[in-house]
Amino acid sequence: MILEVKRLKLRKNNWDSDTYEFDEVLTEFASQKRVYEVVAKPVVESVMDGYNGTVMAYGQTGTGKTYTLGRLGEEDTAARGIMVRAMEDILADVSLETDSVSVSYLQLYMETIQDLLDSTNDNISIVEDPKSGDVSLPGASLVEIRNQQSFVELLRIGEAHRFAANTKLNTESSRSHAILMVHVKRSVKGRDSILSSENGNNSHMAKGLKPPIVRKGKLVVVDLAGSERIDKSGSEGHTLEEAKSINLSLSALGKCINALAENSAHIPIRDSKLTRLLRDSFGGTARTSLVITIGPSPRHRGETASTIMFGQRAMKVENMLKLKEEFDYKSLSRRLDIQLEKLIAEHEKQQKAFENEIERVATEAKHQILESERNHAVELEKERLNYQKEYMESIKKLEEKWMMNQQKHAGGENAAGLKDESSNWISNGEDSRVANMEELSEMKKKLQKETLLRKAAEEEVNKLKSQLAELKKSEASAKSDISKLQKMLEDEACQKEKLEGEITVLQSQLLQISFEADETARRIDNGGSENVPGSLDSLLSQARQPQTNDLGNGEKSSIAKLFEQVGLQRILSLLEVEDVDVRIHAVKVVANLAAEETNQKKIVEAGGLKSLLMLLRSSEDETIHRVAAGAIANLAMNETNQELIMSQGGIRLLSMTAGGAEDPQTLRMVAGAIANLCGNDKLQMKLRGEGGIKALLGMVRCRHPDVLAQVARGIANFAKCESRASTQGTKNGRSLLIEDGVLPWMVQNANNEASPIRRHIELALCHLAQHEVNAKDMISGGALWELVRISRDCSREDIRTLAHRTLTSSPTFQAEMRRLGIDYQ
């Protein structure tokens, strides 16, 4: 084999060889750093830009796939694989304050998806978005990564849980496909700052109302288990079964690659869980890099050629990259709510301060006016009293002087002295006249002074009056502002009344939609049509087998529109009204919403599950029981919801509903809900203790085939969980199904004409028979004959094989068949 930079030659013999071209050919001397830079680094850079990316290793067992991808490099850092180096680049490029990096680590083992970070989570379901076609694993552990050390520790935990075996070709041969999913969520920066610099302050307001942009990229690193030939690997027993499963899944992947390379109209994506998980990596929207690993040994030339051809076909597949960018409306909503609360609080604070200021100014003005008027009155009264007193004193003095003068001039006793007295009187009269003139002059001065004081008082009064006018003007302005605020409050009250009216109209629309749903159900009953998905009595079938009928799609769009306009919380509030008709219509709308997986989490978070269980407890209406049970059955398809249903007494309420119901459709919904709960390993004992198995067995009285099919499905789920627990060593003793008396009914209906009933019971019998402790009870109950029939006549090969393996591996069954003379090989 001769290796060149872009070309690989594979010798057929000493004189002939085949040449193949690749994007890059890496020899055994290429360093791990070189491999990462060529293969994975461009994919990692695309993931950081918001695209999905896949790095996958394919090749024969023992050729270095796990070394290339998953080497931790703790002893030698140069030996670090693609997983470790990719996380180093991601953590170096993100900001842990605004961005997030989270990891899931899984393995696909024997067509079962298991969580390598949680060994108890060993049956994860695949969920596909019906609109976008994106694949997700909601049941897988998702761990946020903050540093490289924690990521390496997770890889170490995952590798410890991964299945491996010693074969002739590899001492540590991986027996499962390992899948590392790295979810990167980044906030986009730069756009808002550009707008801010161009638009100034106006852009600041627009930025506050613009939701932040988030880019979501997903890196998938797939370490495929190596393909192997049984004759070379020497696999046998359980290792042989593992090898078959690995080869089947790789074969399914090869068929998809061939179909995509040839532009075939049909791509067999659903043939394997591996191809379903990788549907975005080949022919999808992800940027994919494939590493094919080969060995130098001529002994394995056939496997080497097959691996090379797989790589050649994969190079022909074209992907259309798609940017995963969206608005972070939740963050915007939280921010706007906080701003709104601050604005309302600030407005209320300013309004209160304004009203207090107006009241203070008005009070001060009144006090000043009263004080000024009082002071003015006091001063005037003082002046008046002073003037009056001075006037009276002056008059009294004048009168006294005049009386004295009169007495002096009254006459004398002798004539001789008359002349002297006359001259004295004249002299005294002139003196008194001069004194009076001086006194009058002084009085005039005092009157002038009083006049000036009066004018000053009048000016003070006028000044106070002008201040009073200004205060009255301020008071009028304040009253105007108060009137405006009152008008604003009245407008808000009118707006509130308008919104309440709109809510009333939307409630009437809700009733109308439910009425149309009832009409659809009646048309189904009368006309015998089975293709209209609008019937609310067929919620489970609608959720699992969506139709394309125009009437059903119209009803779904109406309910989706109602959901957006009214809001889930208001719809749930109608479940508690006293009007029975309104409750019936509301629970039907909730049931339709619960049929969509995207709505289930919202319903549970808003308290919808609690409301539905309350209806089972409090209502006596058969229609409410039927539709509520159907909605609970849809919610019970999620493991988290199953635990919530059990913790809130859901199994006890479902059992009570089953005991009092006669309508086959109601019993079918209840049986479907309990059957979903039976598939949870953690709830086995609690489900049985609260009467779940007894309730299933009690519903067989209905004899309706749809009810019996759900009962059989629940029993099969329960038996499967018991079988898994017994294999893992967490359960000992007889099956709880046998202890509760379910076996006779299973034997009686094991060959039922209805294929769903028969298939579930056959599977349940095989699971029970896998454990030797149940063998004697099954023999005495007649189940041995059914197991023999199943191993020979069952239409499904996997059930037929399981029954055959169980019969051949059980000593008790073998001894009984020899005693009965049954020739079984």
Side-chain angles (χ1 to χ4, degrees):
M1 197 165 47
I2 301 174
L3 297 177
E4 299 178 6
V5 177
K6 302 287 185 180
R7 196 179 304 173
L8 182 147
K9 290 185 178 181
L10 180 64
R11 293 189 183 278
K12 292 182 179 179
N13 45 48
N14 292 333
W15 57 87
D16 193 10
S17 63
D18 292 326
T19 303
Y20 305 94
E21 289 190 1
F22 292 94
D23 295 326
E24 190 80 21
V25 176
L26 301 166
T27 70
E28 66 270 24
F29 303 108
S31 66
Q32 289 280 69
K33 179 180 179 181
R34 171 64 178 165
V35 173
Y36 171 74
E37 290 177 347
V38 171
V39 176
K41 191 167 185 176
V43 178
V44 174
E45 291 173 349
S46 296
V47 171
M48 299 305 294
D49 290 336
Y51 297 92
N52 287 348
T54 303
V55 178
M56 183 166 60
Y58 177 93
Q60 184 186 7
T61 181
T63 54
K65 297 182 297 301
T66 303
Y67 178 87
T68 301
L69 298 181
R71 184 78 170 184
L72 300 182
E74 293 178 304
E75 297 178 356
D76 182 8
T77 56
R80 302 191 312 279
I82 287 176
M83 293 181 181
V84 177
R85 293 176 184 270
M87 183 56 68
E88 288 176 351
D89 283 357
I90 290 172
L91 291 176
D93 198 28
V94 300
S95 172
L96 296 179
E97 296 179 356
T98 59
D99 306 335
S100 66
V101 180
S102 53
V103 167
S104 295
Y105 199 14
L106 313 164
Q107 69 174 351
L108 180 60
Y109 176 70
M110 299 283 285
E111 280 302 296
T112 302
I113 301 176
Q114 302 177 359
D115 196 335
L116 288 175
L117 304 181
D118 182 5
S119 58
T120 61
N121 191 8
D122 58 358
N123 189 13
I124 301 174
S125 58
I126 300 175
V127 177
E128 298 180 15
D129 190 327
K131 296 181 181 179
S132 64
D134 292 341
V135 175
S136 61
L137 302 168
S141 300
L142 192 62
V143 181
E144 186 173 358
I145 301 299
R146 307 290 295 181
N147 54 65
Q148 184 71 12
Q149 183 178 358
S150 62
F151 174 69
V152 173
E153 184 63 27
L154 287 180
L155 289 183
R156 186 184 297 109
I157 294 173
E159 288 301 320
H161 291 155
R162 190 176 178 188
F163 286 100
N166 184 4
T167 67
K168 293 181 179 179
L169 297 177
N170 190 354
T171 57
E172 294 184 2
S173 175
S174 300
R175 314 310 289 169
S176 65
H177 307 299
I179 304 165
L180 176 71
M181 294 184 177
V182 182
H183 302 268
V184 181
K185 182 178 179 181
R186 306 189 72 190
S187 298
V188 178
K189 301 178 181 178
R191 297 187 180 183
D192 292 339
S193 60
I194 294 173
L195 288 174
S196 179
S197 62
E198 293 178 353
N199 301 331
N201 294 331
N202 293 333
S203 69
H204 178 73
M205 296 298 295
K207 180 179 178 181
L209 297 176
K210 183 178 179 182
I213 299 175
V214 175
R215 287 179 178 172
K216 296 181 178 179
K218 181 173 69 173
L219 173 64
V220 180
V221 183
V222 185
D223 180 11
L224 295 172
S227 60
E228 62 183 59
R229 290 186 178 180
I230 307 303
D231 56 344
K232 292 184 178 180
S233 65
S235 299
E236 58 184 11
H238 187 67
T239 307
L240 177 60
E241 297 297 326
E242 292 174 338
K244 290 180 179 178
S245 177
I246 292 170
N247 289 339
L248 284 174
S249 60
L250 293 177
S251 175
L253 177 61
K255 290 178 181 178
C256 290
I257 297 296
N258 290 342
L260 288 168
E262 296 171 1
N263 294 322
S264 175
H266 172 66
I267 311 299
I269 292 291
R270 309 191 71 84
D271 285 1
S272 170
K273 288 186 178 180
L274 177 63
T275 53
R276 291 178 64 190
L277 287 172
L278 299 179
R279 65 178 303 173
D280 192 44
S281 303
F282 290 101
T285 61
R287 180 169 186 172
T288 301
S289 183
L290 174 65
V291 182
I292 60 171
T293 59
I294 58 176
S297 174
R299 176 169 172 252
H300 304 300
R301 186 188 180 284
E303 289 83 347
T304 300
S306 175
T307 301
I308 293 172
M309 292 308 300
F310 179 89
Q312 290 286 291
R313 289 190 293 267
M315 290 178 65
K316 298 179 181 179
V317 179
E318 295 182 356
N319 289 4
M320 299 294 292
L321 300 186
K322 180 179 178 182
L323 182 65
K324 305 292 183 179
E325 186 175 84
E326 62 186 34
F327 290 115
D328 191 357
Y329 288 105
K330 290 184 179 179
S331 175
L332 175 64
S333 176
R334 288 193 298 270
R335 191 169 65 204
L336 292 179
D337 286 342
I338 294 172
Q339 292 181 0
L340 179 60
E341 290 176 358
K342 289 182 178 179
L343 290 175
I344 292 174
E346 185 67 23
H347 174 71
E348 293 177 350
K349 183 179 178 181
Q350 292 179 355
Q351 182 178 356
K352 182 67 175 177
F354 182 69
E355 292 175 353
N356 292 339
E357 184 66 18
I358 291 175
E359 184 177 356
R360 185 187 65 80
V361 171
T363 303
E364 289 182 357
K366 290 180 181 179
H367 288 166
Q368 289 180 1
I369 292 171
L370 292 174
E371 185 69 22
S372 299
E373 291 179 347
R374 185 167 58 252
N375 293 337
H376 181 65
V378 170
E379 292 295 327
L380 287 177
E381 184 65 20
K382 286 182 179 179
E383 289 294 326
R384 187 183 67 78
L385 292 174
N386 288 334
Y387 290 148
Q388 186 177 4
K389 182 178 179 181
E390 292 176 357
Y391 176 75
M392 292 303 294
E393 289 176 352
S394 298
I395 295 297
K396 186 176 179 180
K397 289 179 179 180
L398 289 174
E399 287 179 349
E400 289 176 352
K401 289 181 179 181
W402 184 79
M403 290 297 293
M404 291 173 64
N405 290 332
Q406 287 295 327
Q407 290 175 359
K408 288 180 180 181
H409 294 287
E413 294 181 352
N414 52 47
L418 179 62
K419 185 176 180 180
D420 293 334
E421 291 177 356
S422 297
S423 61
N424 290 334
W425 182 84
I426 293 170
S427 175
N428 291 334
E430 288 180 354
D431 291 338
S432 64
R433 186 166 60 85
V434 171
N436 288 336
M437 290 298 292
E438 291 177 354
E439 189 173 354
L440 285 174
S441 176
E442 185 178 355
M443 289 292 290
K444 286 181 179 180
K445 290 180 180 179
K446 290 182 177 180
L447 286 173
Q448 289 176 355
K449 183 179 180 181
E450 181 184 356
T451 302
L452 292 174
L453 290 173
R454 183 181 293 275
K455 288 182 178 179
E458 288 177 353
E459 290 177 357
E460 183 69 21
V461 170
N462 290 333
K463 183 178 179 181
L464 291 173
K465 285 182 178 179
S466 64
Q467 290 180 356
L468 178 61
E470 290 179 358
L471 290 173
K472 288 183 177 180
K473 186 177 180 181
S474 299
E475 184 178 0
S477 176
K479 289 182 178 179
S480 175
D481 291 338
I482 292 174
S483 300
K484 290 180 181 178
L485 291 174
Q486 289 177 345
K487 188 173 184 304
M488 290 173 61
L489 292 175
E490 290 175 357
D491 292 341
E492 289 179 359
C494 293
Q495 185 69 14
K496 181 180 179 181
E497 292 179 359
K498 183 179 178 181
L499 291 174
E500 289 176 350
E502 292 178 355
I503 290 173
T504 304
V505 172
L506 292 173
Q507 288 177 344
S508 65
Q509 292 177 358
L510 168 65
L511 298 177
Q512 179 63 27
I513 290 173
S514 296
F515 175 76
E516 292 174 359
D518 288 339
E519 288 295 319
T520 304
R522 281 195 285 273
R523 285 199 296 272
I524 291 174
D525 294 337
N526 296 333
S529 174
E530 296 179 355
N531 295 324
V532 182
S535 173
L536 291 174
D537 295 337
S538 306
L539 291 174
L540 290 175
S541 353
Q542 179 181 342
R544 295 186 178 87
Q545 299 177 355
Q547 306 288 333
T548 57
N549 185 281
D550 294 339
L551 179 60
N553 288 337
E555 182 183 337
K556 284 185 178 180
S557 62
S558 299
I559 292 175
K561 184 177 180 182
L562 178 67
F563 178 44
E564 294 175 357
Q565 293 178 345
V566 178
L568 179 60
Q569 197 64 50
R570 292 177 180 169
I571 295 176
L572 294 176
S573 66
L574 296 178
L575 298 177
E576 301 177 3
V577 300
E578 295 182 359
D579 192 327
V580 177
D581 291 334
V582 175
R583 293 170 72 186
I584 291 175
H585 297 317
V587 73
K588 288 181 178 179
V589 173
V590 173
N592 264 324
L593 293 173
E596 298 291 338
E597 187 172 358
T598 55
N599 299 330
Q600 292 179 2
K601 184 177 181 181
K602 300 176 184 177
I603 291 173
V604 173
E605 290 178 348
L609 175 59
K610 184 177 181 181
S611 298
L612 292 169
L613 294 174
M614 179 270 295
L615 289 177
L616 292 184
R617 181 186 297 109
S618 59
S619 177
E620 297 180 358
D621 188 273
E622 184 81 8
T623 302
I624 291 179
H625 284 175
R626 179 178 72 251
V627 183
I632 294 172
N634 282 331
L635 296 178
M637 296 175 70
N638 179 278
E639 183 176 350
T640 303
N641 294 342
Q642 291 172 358
E643 296 179 0
L644 288 175
I645 292 171
M646 293 295 295
S647 64
Q648 296 180 19
I651 192 66
R652 188 178 294 107
L653 291 173
L654 290 169
S655 300
M656 292 171 55
T657 304
E662 297 295 336
D663 178 34
Q665 296 302 324
T666 302
L667 292 173
R668 179 169 67 88
M669 296 295 184
V670 175
I674 297 177
N676 289 339
L677 296 174
C678 285
N680 192 317
D681 295 330
K682 305 174 184 177
L683 306 177
Q684 293 276 290
M685 296 303 297
K686 188 172 183 180
L687 186 143
R688 188 245 187 164
E690 295 186 4
I693 302 302
K694 295 289 187 183
L696 280 178
L697 194 58
M699 282 185 278
V700 301
R701 69 181 187 279
C702 176
R703 298 187 180 279
H704 193 284
D706 291 343
V707 178
L708 297 183
Q710 294 299 329
V711 172
R713 184 170 70 87
I715 291 172
N717 286 344
F718 197 94
K720 182 179 180 181
C721 291
E722 278 195 328
S723 175
R724 187 159 50 234
S726 298
T727 301
Q728 296 173 352
T730 58
K731 181 187 181 304
N732 297 314
R734 290 196 309 162
S735 167
L736 300 179
L737 294 173
I738 295 176
E739 291 183 0
D740 283 354
V742 180
L743 185 60
W745 182 81
M746 295 171 63
V747 173
Q748 182 181 355
N749 290 271
N751 201 14
N752 195 291
E753 295 180 355
S755 60
I757 302 173
R758 184 175 65 253
R759 183 179 70 253
H760 288 309
I761 292 178
E762 288 175 345
L763 188 59
L765 286 173
C766 290
H767 283 306
L768 290 179
Q770 282 187 302
H771 304 286
E772 196 71 14
V773 70
N774 298 326
K776 292 184 179 179
D777 291 299
M778 297 187 71
I779 290 172
S780 61
L784 176 60
W785 296 101
E786 293 301 331
L787 287 171
V788 173
R789 178 191 62 78
I790 293 169
S791 68
R792 294 173 176 174
D793 303 331
C794 182
S795 58
R796 282 185 47 173
E797 183 180 357
D798 56 339
I799 298 177
R800 191 167 64 246
T801 302
L802 182 59
H804 176 77
R805 187 169 65 244
T806 300
L807 289 174
T808 56
S809 61
S810 171
T812 305
F813 286 141
Q814 287 287 319
E816 182 65 16
M817 285 189 292
R818 285 193 298 270
R819 189 183 69 82
L820 296 175
I822 300 175
D823 185 12
Y824 190 85
Q825 297 296 332

